[in-house]
Amino acid sequence: MKVEVNGRSFEEEPRPGQCLRTYLRDRGWFGVKKGCDQGDCGACTVHVDGRPVHSCLYPAFRADGHSVTTVEGLASQDGELHPVQQKFLDAQGFQCGFCTAGFLMTTAALDEDKLADLPRAFKGNLCRCTGYRAIEDAVRGVKNVEAPAPGESVGRSLPAPAGPQVVTGTARYTFDIDVPGLMHMKLLRSPHAHARILAIDTSAALRVPGVQAVFTHHDAPERHFSTARHEHPTEDPDDTRVLDDTVRYIGQRVAAVVADSEAAAEEGCRRIEVTYEVLPAVLDPEQAMRPGAPVVHDKDAVTARISRPRDNVVGEAHGEIGDVAAGFAEADVVYEETFRTQRVQHASLETHGALAWIDEDGRLTVRTSSQTPFLTRRALCALYDLPEEQVRVMAGRVGGGFGGKQEMLVEDIVALAVLKLRRPVKLEYTRAEQFYGATTRHPFTIRVKAGARRDGTLTALQLRVVSNTGAYGNHGPAVMFHSVGESMAVYRAAHKKVDAYSVYTHTVPAGAFRGYGLGQALFAVESALDELARRLDLDPLEFKARNIIGPDEPMLSPGGHEEDLHIASYGLDQCLAIVRRAQAEPPAEPVPDGWLLGEGAALAMIATGPPGGHIADAKATLLPDGTFDLAVGTAEFGNGTTTVHKQIAAGELTTTVDRITIRQSDTDVVRHDTGAFASTGTVVAGKATLRASRALADMLLDFAAAHLGAARADCRLVEEAVLHPGGRLLLKEMYAASRAVGLALTADGHFGGTPRSVAFNAHWFRVAVDPGSGEIRILRSVHAADAGKVMNPMQCRGQVEGGVAQALGATLFEQVLLDERGAVDTAAFRRYRLPQYADVPRTEVHFMETSDAIGPLGAKSMSESPFNPVAPALANALRDATGVRFTEVPLLRDRVWRELERHSGSRRPPGSP
């Protein structure tokens, strides 16, 4: 075989059955990504003789005699970017960047006809982060980035520091490194929803050539832990073992095989013989709480921190403010209904995975796709009785997270193998494993009851929530508590009540997901209040505006008041004004004949960070050449925190972002960082960066004044120097002078994540609905976001657009389906529909004019919150169009059609108000 790759000749024969993607990656072309292995996502797109192909489907031997170009080969030999690469850089047509190489290769091959039809051109490429608008901007040549200016970085649309590496394919994600002697792990998983392992025979597996070891529950620590990562581990139940002798869902890991190749490890898994005692299983959370139901975890309630193990209730919340019975008695109209939300997969294009080794100092070193490197280190140390200084955990660039990587799903088993074998080991989930072996969004059933007087005063609000946490309680109680917090607290009502349950079932575990329970609860609350307003013959938006809390009112939820949560800036009134303005504008396009027209809105409030504290440390240091080093712990996975941290530091140090290098996501970098979740990358880690940079700026001025014998007040920090009446002291000269007296010009910053503020969002849709097919066509999408001081408008707009796109997928068609045994039936992208370019409307994003009293430089969070109001807003628009209240998502076309047929007698005619 002879193949030319990016101008270089290769003659190595591929392995039997090897695809072109792995052939290229084996030779160091890491820009070729694995997203699906089935030709569904396009992340592996390369050119063969100039024609784009999905290299995961292209047999390597077919490249014999051909020329292959990867994203690394698009640029000219002298380093000049290909025009398409430059366009993606100018538009910042990426977030996490894992899909970007595929989009670049597809775009570079488009002719004029295909450029005119991007929905068709991009039907083979998926992006989970951007919402596609930024990608379209890149293709069309729109420039979104601004130039840096000394001391004027915050509030500008500056590009991501890793942008050049992303567009050239040189950004290094978890597995984009070459580790000598690396062995591969594969997992044997349970075929039963509930069973006890009576015996495991691994002898045949160990005879497979290349298999080095097989690990079972006999090799695993006895102690229990939670895969969820929180600053305080006691927030989650200890109900999980690395490998257990009881399996509780189809897909749970039973054994781990380590071999010299993935093929050998897979064959080893097939050769393991397991004897099971199959036990009764329960798949429905309501049934799980009934007397006599199979018990998922027969553990001690206190030591495992499970509310009622025998009743399968892992956590629960009960509370009442006022007297809801009296509140409903006061109401002129009462509305009561049950709403349901489904399982949703995070679908980050980079699957879960980790590799680990023992370094030259004897330390366990783990490289992982994680949002929480520091918490993962803490958990590994507790699990294997290791001191923290003996464990290093780091993340490369992470290919999407969305809460799914706020878990320890792979690092524990990889660490077990490395500690036993003292050799490097890698575990990378397949796309199918991501569906049945990772986590999902919690499915909710919510019974909501709301009452109001005819003047529009909300008198009572009551929720009964049942959350299906699956076989393990990771995040279950916390998601349940959060769901009934801000969703109820944003409304003023004298009487509120909540009863909420997080329930075990023998199904794939649920976990952290963007919005963290609020999206599910808000679908019910916002839909119910919309319906209540209609029954009062009031405009739904006006009804909600009458009942929302004001800037000086307490946020009261029957689930409990969080003392450190404050309204430190208030933009909800501005959000509603944006929606009213959109409502007042007539449709820009005609509605097809026979279609129904409707409009709907919803609002949301979310805390800017989790309760109980969220820790971040940062360190800013002057370097010998007069530039700066910034070390932060938080991970970058498309959330844009790397850019924002550099902007904050550049502003405080009166320099430009290009004069700041950043190190992050590494437990060797700073003291501690809780992690990049709960929208804390800017408001918590950013505040630590602000404090470190401000402290270093003060230190520089103090040293310069002392060194020069000048008054501190007469010294001024500029881009590369300190100015004083007698002249100019260069920063690199200051570095040398400080070293000469034994002083290191470095400063630390710390923030504990409390007090916390709240962010607000509102979304509005205008839709057309075809009653003959159930098709929903979004005519206009408007989002109002109260993010406080917006650090980087371009990036923040991308976060909103990506959140809206992900929420639209969950609202319209995404759902993880289980069969009658509890097995995941949608374990591939082609069976699980993700939003494609053609599916996502362009959302108009508006930022409110607020500045927060708590957040760094006035900023608030905006990574999770855009997701939350989308489903109820669309459901309310659908109700406005059809007269039918839809109480379950996703709003599949056939589901809409069936409901319209069922209510055909009451359907509103086209054009009716």
Side-chain angles (χ1 to χ4, degrees):
M1 175 165 170
K2 186 173 183 179
V3 59
E4 184 181 274
V5 182
N6 298 332
R8 292 172 53 189
S9 182
F10 294 87
E11 297 186 1
E12 296 93 340
E13 289 286 329
R15 297 188 299 274
Q18 186 174 26
C19 68
L20 183 58
R21 180 186 68 81
T22 58
Y23 183 87
L24 293 170
R25 286 184 61 84
D26 285 349
R27 281 143 191 85
W29 305 110
F30 294 128
V32 186
K33 302 299 185 211
K34 185 200 91 166
C36 66
D37 274 334
Q38 292 184 311
D40 295 331
C41 73
C44 67
T45 304
V46 301
H47 292 174
V48 177
D49 295 337
R51 184 173 63 89
V53 301
H54 287 179
S55 61
C56 69
L57 297 181
Y58 194 96
F61 75 85
R62 287 184 56 190
D64 185 19
H66 296 282
S67 174
V68 176
T69 304
T70 73
V71 67
E72 294 97 330
L74 277 185
S76 64
Q77 291 189 354
D78 61 3
E80 183 178 354
L81 294 180
H82 186 282
V84 170
Q85 290 173 313
Q86 188 61 55
K87 287 181 177 181
F88 269 74
L89 203 56
D90 291 341
Q92 295 286 280
F94 54 85
Q95 283 183 28
C96 84
F98 200 80
C99 70
T100 304
F103 273 98
L104 285 164
M105 301 308 291
T106 298
T107 304
L110 297 179
D111 57 25
E112 289 301 319
D113 289 340
K114 292 177 181 176
L115 282 169
D117 189 2
L118 291 183
R120 180 173 293 275
F122 287 143
K123 62 184 175 63
N125 292 83
L126 292 173
C127 175
R128 190 56 155 168
C129 295
T130 65
Y132 297 103
R133 188 272 315 161
I135 293 172
E136 180 180 2
D137 281 357
V139 176
R140 303 301 185 203
V142 177
K143 187 171 183 177
N144 293 322
V145 300
E146 296 182 67
E152 298 179 5
S153 296
V154 170
R156 299 170 71 92
S157 294
L158 302 186
Q165 290 75 42
V166 168
V167 302
T168 57
T170 56
R172 291 295 175 247
Y173 295 79
T174 307
F175 297 114
D176 295 343
I177 62 172
D178 184 19
V179 179
L182 183 66
M183 295 190 298
H184 301 268
M185 176 183 285
K186 286 294 180 178
L187 300 173
L188 176 69
R189 296 182 177 274
S190 170
H192 304 294
H194 191 199
R196 184 176 295 111
I197 298 172
L198 302 180
I200 300 182
D201 185 350
T202 63
S203 57
L206 289 168
R207 289 195 295 270
V208 173
V211 169
Q212 301 296 325
V214 179
F215 299 103
T216 71
H217 63 271
H218 297 294
D219 306 291
E222 290 287 344
R223 60 172 55 98
H224 289 82
F225 65 99
S226 172
T227 64
R229 301 290 93 227
H230 282 115
E231 178 60 37
H232 304 290
T234 54
E235 291 184 29
D236 309 294
D238 286 340
D239 57 10
T240 305
R241 281 187 66 193
V242 175
L243 291 167
D244 208 332
D245 57 357
T246 299
V247 291
R248 296 176 173 87
Y249 69 98
I250 295 174
Q252 180 170 333
R253 59 196 191 194
V254 171
V257 178
V258 179
D260 296 336
S261 68
E262 289 190 63
E266 289 175 348
E267 181 60 24
C269 286
R270 285 189 285 268
R271 300 284 185 92
I272 298 173
E273 296 182 7
V274 185
T275 303
Y276 295 99
E277 177 192 355
V278 178
L279 302 172
V282 60
L283 307 182
D284 178 81
E286 291 284 2
Q287 293 178 8
M289 288 191 290
R290 293 174 186 165
V295 175
V296 180
H297 287 277
D298 188 8
K299 293 179 171 65
D300 179 74
V302 176
T303 57
R305 294 188 299 279
I306 299 172
S307 179
R308 286 184 283 134
R310 300 297 302 177
D311 298 321
N312 292 317
V313 176
V314 61
E316 55 192 317
H318 306 280
E320 185 170 9
I321 297 172
D323 182 344
V324 291
F328 290 124
E330 294 174 18
D332 294 307
V333 176
V334 174
Y335 174 73
E336 186 172 9
E337 186 57 85
T338 299
F339 293 82
R340 291 180 173 85
T341 65
Q342 80 283 31
R343 287 178 179 85
V344 178
Q345 234 293 319
H346 305 81
S348 53
L349 288 194
E350 182 194 42
T351 60
H352 280 81
L355 54 92
W357 61 91
I358 303 296
D359 69 13
E360 61 274 11
D361 297 321
R363 293 197 305 167
L364 173 65
T365 302
V366 182
R367 181 180 172 92
T368 176
S369 180
S370 173
Q371 297 172 226
T372 58
F374 288 81
L375 299 187
T376 299
R377 178 183 65 173
R378 178 190 290 171
L380 292 175
C381 290
L383 197 55
Y384 295 111
D385 295 317
L386 298 170
E388 285 195 351
E389 61 271 16
Q390 283 298 107
V391 180
R392 179 187 184 187
V393 178
M394 54 185 163
R397 190 172 178 89
V398 177
F402 317 113
K405 294 175 181 176
Q406 191 193 340
E407 304 271 357
M408 187 173 71
L409 298 180
V410 292
E411 299 90 345
D412 58 326
I413 190 72
V414 171
L416 172 68
V418 172
L419 292 171
K420 296 277 190 180
L421 300 173
R422 314 301 287 184
R423 291 181 58 186
V425 176
K426 166 189 172 182
L427 171 61
E428 181 179 14
Y429 274 12
T430 64
R431 179 53 57 186
E433 284 182 298
Q434 195 73 11
F435 277 98
Y436 56 67
T439 60
T440 72
R441 188 188 191 209
H442 285 78
F444 270 46
T445 301
I446 306 166
R447 185 74 180 175
V448 59
K449 186 176 182 181
R453 292 195 288 265
R454 294 203 182 279
D455 64 359
T457 301
L458 188 65
T459 61
L461 182 60
Q462 182 175 357
L463 296 182
R464 181 185 184 271
V465 173
V466 176
S467 169
N468 186 348
T469 196
Y472 291 90
N474 45 301
H475 294 284
V479 166
M480 179 268 299
F481 278 115
H482 192 235
S483 72
V484 297
E486 294 96 282
S487 62
M488 299 187 77
V490 71
Y491 287 106
R492 182 193 315 110
H495 310 285
K496 299 178 182 178
K497 184 177 181 180
V498 65
D499 292 287
Y501 308 87
S502 179
V503 184
Y504 284 125
T505 60
H506 290 107
T507 60
V508 59
F513 189 99
R514 198 175 202 164
Y516 213 68
L518 269 182
Q520 294 96 311
L522 283 166
F523 172 61
V525 171
E526 289 293 301
S527 296
L529 295 186
D530 184 275
E531 190 66 34
L532 184 61
R534 293 177 188 277
R535 297 186 181 198
L536 288 164
D537 200 25
L538 296 172
D539 173 72
L541 193 65
E542 178 57 33
F543 171 69
K544 293 178 181 181
R546 292 183 192 181
N547 291 287
I548 56 174
I549 57 174
D552 301 316
E553 294 183 62
M555 293 173 285
L556 300 178
S557 168
H561 177 59
E562 296 169 1
E563 295 297 331
D564 72 334
L565 192 61
H566 308 278
I567 300 177
S569 60
Y570 188 83
L572 185 53
D573 52 350
Q574 296 179 48
C575 291
L576 297 182
I578 292 292
V579 171
R580 288 192 186 95
R581 190 186 313 158
Q583 283 181 326
E585 297 170 357
E589 60 180 279
V591 179
D593 289 342
W595 288 50
L596 309 175
L597 181 67
E599 301 173 357
L603 59 89
M605 177 176 74
I606 190 170
T608 59
H614 191 103
I615 294 170
D617 285 298
K619 182 185 290 290
T621 304
L622 179 66
L623 298 176
D625 62 354
T627 63
F628 299 96
D629 174 81
L630 177 64
V632 294
T634 189
E636 174 63 63
F637 52 99
N639 48 0
T641 54
T642 308
T643 316
V644 168
H645 290 169
K646 290 185 70 168
Q647 289 180 264
I648 291 172
E652 294 302 309
L653 295 166
T654 324
T655 188
T656 54
V657 291
D658 57 318
R659 292 180 57 79
I660 297 175
T661 58
I662 189 165
R663 295 177 294 127
Q664 60 190 128
S665 312
D666 187 338
T667 57
D668 274 8
V669 165
V670 291
R671 288 192 303 269
H672 183 75
D673 188 284
T674 299
F677 63 88
S679 301
T680 55
T682 293
V683 297
V684 177
K687 196 152 186 174
T689 291
L690 175 71
R691 289 175 172 176
S693 304
R694 187 169 288 173
L696 179 58
D698 288 339
M699 185 181 291
L700 294 174
L701 291 173
D702 288 341
F703 181 83
H707 182 72
L708 298 167
R712 159 71 188 264
D714 293 332
C715 296
R716 182 164 60 92
L717 185 62
V718 295
E719 184 177 4
E720 299 183 33
V722 171
L723 299 183
H724 59 97
R728 175 186 179 94
L729 178 63
L730 294 175
L731 294 180
K732 60 183 178 181
E733 296 172 341
M734 190 182 305
Y735 176 88
S738 67
R739 285 294 177 178
V741 297
L743 176 65
L745 293 175
T746 184
D748 294 310
H750 173 86
F751 184 51
T754 184
R756 301 174 296 147
S757 185
V758 291
F760 299 98
N761 297 75
H763 201 101
W764 174 84
F765 287 108
R766 178 177 285 135
V767 303
V769 183
D770 178 12
S773 68
E775 178 182 349
I776 301 171
R777 184 175 300 173
I778 297 174
L779 304 179
R780 193 176 176 197
S781 171
V782 177
H783 193 97
D786 174 22
K789 171 65 176 177
V790 178
M791 300 284 99
N792 186 309
M794 173 183 64
Q795 281 194 168
C796 197
R797 177 187 174 192
Q799 288 293 302
V800 172
E801 291 170 334
V804 170
Q806 193 173 38
L808 278 172
T811 304
L812 291 172
F813 36 74
E814 288 186 50
Q815 55 181 340
V816 176
L817 296 177
L818 308 184
D819 66 17
E820 67 281 357
R821 300 177 305 119
V824 173
D825 198 35
T826 45
F829 280 158
R830 63 189 55 188
R831 293 179 62 83
Y832 180 86
R833 184 182 171 190
L834 286 178
Q836 295 179 289
Y837 180 96
D839 295 315
V840 182
R842 299 300 174 257
T843 292
E844 304 164 32
V845 178
H846 302 267
F847 292 119
M848 306 304 100
E849 295 291 333
T850 61
S851 181
D852 199 70
I854 294 175
L857 304 175
K860 295 198 284 193
S861 64
M862 199 45 60
S863 293
E864 294 187 84
S865 55
F867 186 102
N868 294 330
V870 170
L874 192 60
N876 290 340
L878 183 59
R879 162 65 172 87
D880 188 54
T882 65
V884 177
R885 171 58 60 187
F886 288 80
T887 61
E888 185 173 353
V889 285
L891 300 171
L892 299 168
R893 183 184 296 190
D894 58 343
R895 180 175 289 166
V896 172
W897 177 81
R898 283 196 302 268
E899 282 298 299
L900 294 185
E901 285 296 301
R902 195 164 68 87
H903 292 82
S904 58
S906 60
R907 186 189 305 150
R908 296 171 51 194
S912 64

